[in-house]
Amino acid sequence: MYTLEADDRHFLQIAIEEAMKGIQNGEGGPFGAVIVKNDQILVRAHNTSEKQKITTLHLPLPESNQPFTWWAANGDKTLY
């Protein structure tokens, strides 16, 4: 069984803050994400489907039309 560590809680909190930022700015729904490698934040983003007027754009990552290609090519990360 996996136990959340302090670092996990920290990065999850940042992802929640990103989600709140999107809601407060009227950019999208309550979705935020943080990609971390070696305790360094590489990407932090939130949903922008309302701002971009693309209702299928729910993945809150830059270049979200190709996120899994990027993820696969740059493994060894954690997505919160």
Side-chain angles (χ1 to χ4, degrees):
M1 178 179 205
Y2 183 79
T3 303
L4 283 178
E5 301 293 329
D7 287 346
D8 294 319
R9 289 185 182 92
H10 170 73
F11 294 124
L12 283 169
Q13 183 60 43
I14 293 171
I16 291 167
E17 291 168 6
E18 279 296 321
M20 295 304 297
K21 189 186 309 181
I23 293 169
Q24 292 166 348
N25 294 338
E27 295 176 325
F31 308 103
V34 177
I35 296 177
V36 177
K37 181 175 182 176
N38 298 327
D39 293 327
Q40 296 287 326
I41 295 175
L42 302 177
V43 176
R44 59 188 296 165
H46 56 270
N47 178 282
T48 59
S49 62
E50 291 297 317
K51 179 181 176 183
Q52 296 183 24
K53 303 297 182 203
I54 302 171
T55 58
T56 58
L57 183 63
H58 293 292
L59 188 63
L61 299 173
E63 304 298 325
S64 60
N65 57 337
Q66 300 175 346
F68 298 107
T69 302
W70 180 86
W71 183 270
N74 297 283
D76 194 28
K77 293 176 195 53
T78 304
L79 172 64
Y80 295 94

